[in-house]
Amino acid sequence: MNGTLLLGCEGLSKLVRHSLELTEWLAAAEVSRVNIIPPTEAIARHASKLLAAAGLHGHKYALDAIVAATAPASPAPVTVLTSDPEDLLMLCGPGTRVIKV
């Protein structure tokens, strides 16, 4: 598979619950395994800068910022599956496709 599929909180939750919608996404992306990318200090610092640039703060946006900070370091094209596309669209760059699940 070329590219990266990132999961926001709801995407990850649906993966764990074996949601049909997410299963279809994974099948379409031909994903055969889940790679876990731990948030490094560099990703956390980038997430903090993204939050500041967007004028956002607090735990409500922290996980979205971590996902958004992971996107530029991931192989393109990058797609993020999330229940909150508005926040991720503010945080992700134009090269990241954000889809509501």
Side-chain angles (χ1 to χ4, degrees):
M1 174 183 125
N2 292 329
T4 303
L5 184 65
L6 296 174
L7 305 178
C9 291
E10 185 62 20
L12 186 58
S13 177
K14 286 184 176 190
L15 173 68
V16 171
R17 293 188 318 247
H18 302 288
S19 157
L20 178 60
E21 178 185 18
L22 195 63
T23 301
E24 289 172 351
W25 264 102
L26 295 177
E30 298 179 20
V31 174
S32 62
R33 66 178 190 262
V34 175
N35 291 319
I36 298 173
I37 301 171
T40 63
E41 184 175 341
I43 288 173
R45 289 186 189 281
H46 186 212
S48 178
K49 290 177 185 175
L50 290 174
L51 287 173
L56 302 173
H57 65 281
H59 70 278
K60 177 182 179 199
Y61 303 105
L63 293 176
D64 286 344
I66 292 291
V67 170
T70 303
S74 302
V78 176
T79 301
V80 177
L81 303 181
T82 180
S83 62
D84 196 6
E86 295 81 17
D87 292 339
L88 272 161
L89 284 169
M90 284 193 299
L91 296 168
C92 287
T96 301
R97 182 177 175 204
V98 178
I99 298 176
K100 182 175 178 71
V101 290

